[in-house]
Amino acid sequence: RIELEPQALNATAKFVATPEGTALAYGSLVLMALLPIFFGALRSVSCSKSKNAADMPETITSRDAARFPIIASCTLFGLYLFFKVFSQEYINLLLSVYFFVLGVLALSHTMSPLMSRIFPASCPNKQYQLLFTQGSGESKEEIVNYEFDTKNLVCLVISSVVGVWYLLKKHWIANNLFGLAFALNGVELLHLNNVSTGCILLGGLFVYDVFWVFGTNVMVTVAKSFEAPIKLVFPQDLLEKGLEASNFAMLGLGDIVIPGIFIALLLRFDVSLKKNSRTYFYSSFLAYIFGLGLTIFVMHTFKHAQPALLYLVPACVGFPVIVALFKGELTEMFSYESSDELLPGSPRLTSFPTISGSPASLASSMDAISMATGSSPRRRRVQPTSM
């Protein structure tokens, strides 16, 4: 994860952003952050009700949440050491290929609901299967069992074009398309099991973010060295240089996905109340807007990169808790178990994801990897969704 950072402060850049360019960049970042949270939360409700085991979300337990900041810190510092010891060029080359594969699959999954609506009924929708196994006989183990149809294939082709564009040009628009896909899939497919777990996760990462941004230069160094679509960027010199602009403001995907999965949990809580109201979802969503706006204001005022979770965590947790206190539903909120809505056999976030499975599972895996969650490879039968 990285922090919101004004690239106009980069010592290598002599450009001074205009007020209009700065406002456009920050406004665009806020809008791009809101889209995956809003739509990812909506899709998380459908995802939790899925009867297909392959489409089940990954459930984060309190134990996972407690370990999260420690694992994330080790991963962040490990990357920092890698960039100090090894050539940045070769590391980013390997990462580019890795993120190309994951980005194509994540973007394909993101596009699948739209493709299902616009795909011509007159065109045949054929079924395909891609199968890779390891070993033989009784010891044979499935590594990839990927079932897809013509609509999924069209999505993969379109996503591959974006992927090639990203590989060759590293253009900020291609980066953002992949970043938005990762963020949306993360909010959709990573589920907190209850509000207490969400508080543990957000509280731990609150400390993590503040320490690594204010206490050391590790976060900023990795953010500037790590060339991968794990952040959303928008040029502050777009008005002067057009699409070839190169002086960026940035927002890390962790600052979207971490609060986003908490907001999605509150939406599922709203649904469970069966009151035809989305009070907690909208209050937390507005809290996120407030927190992100405050981050930008403080950063712009003090001209220093800010840990966005320093402002987002108190807002996203505090606002819904205050609402629950006023409505007398605080106990009900903290006793709600999101995992109760899932079918038996729903996967738990207990292993490192592998490059195998559907776009849905891979998108979830991407967010888990980029935010340092999980442990050992899991192999399972998977199938693309069309939610």
Side-chain angles (χ1 to χ4, degrees), residues 45-57 341-344 383 385 387:
V45 176
S46 302
C47 180
S48 67
K49 297 176 181 178
S50 173
K51 295 182 180 180
N52 189 338
D55 302 331
M56 289 293 183
E341 300 174 2
L342 303 180
L343 299 178
Q383 184 174 358
T385 64
M387 283 184 284

Side-chain angles (χ1 to χ4, degrees), residues 296-307:
I296 294 172
F297 172 77
V298 174
M299 180 189 65
H300 189 68
T301 301
F302 292 98
K303 307 297 182 185
H304 188 279
Q306 296 294 312

Side-chain angles (χ1 to χ4, degrees), residues 6-8 13-26 28 172 233-249:
Q7 285 292 87
K14 303 301 181 183
F15 174 79
V16 177
T18 63
E20 295 81 4
T22 301
L24 178 61
Y26 291 160
S28 299
W172 61 272
V233 299
F234 200 90
Q236 300 183 67
D237 52 347
L238 179 69
L239 299 177
E240 291 80 11
K241 299 182 180 179
L243 295 180
E244 298 303 316
S246 58
N247 200 278
F248 298 102

Side-chain angles (χ1 to χ4, degrees), residues 270 277-284 323 327:
D270 278 325
S277 170
R278 300 293 182 265
T279 305
Y280 295 102
F281 171 66
Y282 289 127
S283 64
S284 58
V323 171
K327 297 185 70 175

Side-chain angles (χ1 to χ4, degrees), residues 78-330:
L79 285 171
Y80 175 78
L81 293 179
F82 261 89
F83 281 115
K84 288 293 185 181
V85 175
F86 300 103
S87 170
Q88 179 177 324
E89 179 183 353
Y90 294 116
I91 295 175
N92 282 317
L93 179 62
L94 291 174
L95 290 173
S96 295
V97 175
Y98 178 67
F99 279 86
F100 164 78
V101 176
L102 295 179
V104 166
L105 293 169
L107 187 58
S108 175
H109 172 63
T110 303
M111 294 170 54
S112 62
L114 175 63
M115 185 58 64
S116 297
R117 292 183 176 88
I118 67 174
F119 193 78
S122 57
C123 296
N125 189 31
K126 297 181 179 179
Q127 300 294 318
Y128 303 92
Q129 183 178 26
L130 181 64
L131 178 64
F132 285 94
T133 61
Q134 176 179 297
S136 59
E138 294 182 357
S139 62
K140 183 181 291 186
E141 184 179 21
E142 288 185 358
I143 298 177
V144 175
N145 191 344
Y146 181 31
E147 297 177 2
F148 56 100
D149 55 26
T150 304
K151 290 182 287 188
N152 299 129
L153 197 58
V154 173
C155 290
L156 283 170
V157 170
I158 296 173
S159 302
S160 297
V161 173
V162 176
V164 172
W165 182 25
Y166 172 76
L167 266 183
L168 297 179
K169 300 294 185 180
K170 292 292 192 300
H171 199 276
W172 61 272
I173 294 179
N175 173 90
N176 287 348
L177 289 174
F178 277 172
L180 287 169
F182 288 143
L184 189 146
N185 282 283
V187 175
E188 175 189 356
L189 297 167
L190 292 173
H191 285 199
L192 295 164
N193 64 348
N194 55 48
V195 173
S196 297
T197 298
C199 292
I200 293 171
L201 179 65
L202 268 66
L205 288 175
F206 173 90
V207 176
Y208 159 88
D209 216 21
V210 171
F211 173 76
W212 288 111
V213 173
F214 287 149
T216 73
N217 69 336
V218 172
M219 182 82 81
V220 175
T221 301
V222 172
K224 292 179 179 178
S225 305
F226 201 83
E227 294 181 6
I230 59 167
K231 56 197 173 193
L232 299 180
V233 299
F234 200 90
Q236 300 183 67
D237 52 347
L238 179 69
L239 299 177
E240 291 80 11
K241 299 182 180 179
L243 295 180
E244 298 303 316
S246 58
N247 200 278
F248 298 102
M250 62 175 72
L251 178 65
L253 295 190
D255 297 326
I256 301 171
V257 176
I258 297 300
I261 60 178
F262 187 74
I263 293 171
L265 170 67
L266 293 177
L267 175 59
R268 297 194 296 277
F269 172 60
D270 278 325
V271 172
S272 74
L273 294 176
K274 299 179 181 178
K275 294 183 178 180
N276 197 29
S277 170
R278 300 293 182 265
T279 305
Y280 295 102
F281 171 66
Y282 289 127
S283 64
S284 58
F285 192 73
L286 291 174
Y288 181 85
I289 297 174
F290 171 78
L292 193 56
L294 183 60
T295 306
I296 294 172
F297 172 77
V298 174
M299 180 189 65
H300 189 68
T301 301
F302 292 98
K303 307 297 182 185
H304 188 279
Q306 296 294 312
L309 292 183
L310 173 63
Y311 309 95
L312 291 173
V313 169
C316 291
V317 174
F319 278 42
V321 167
I322 292 173
V323 171
L325 280 171
F326 275 109
K327 297 185 70 175
E329 295 175 340
L330 188 63

Side-chain angles (χ1 to χ4, degrees), residues 11-73:
T12 61
K14 303 301 181 183
F15 174 79
V16 177
T18 63
E20 295 81 4
T22 301
L24 178 61
Y26 291 160
S28 299
L29 284 177
V30 171
L31 178 61
M32 286 191 292
L34 296 179
L35 290 175
I37 291 177
F38 186 84
F39 291 105
L42 293 178
R43 288 172 62 157
S44 77
V45 176
S46 302
C47 180
S48 67
K49 297 176 181 178
S50 173
K51 295 182 180 180
N52 189 338
D55 302 331
M56 289 293 183
E58 304 278 359
T59 301
I60 301 175
T61 65
S62 57
R63 183 181 178 186
D64 300 322
R67 293 186 303 177
F68 198 114
I70 299 172
I71 299 174
S73 295

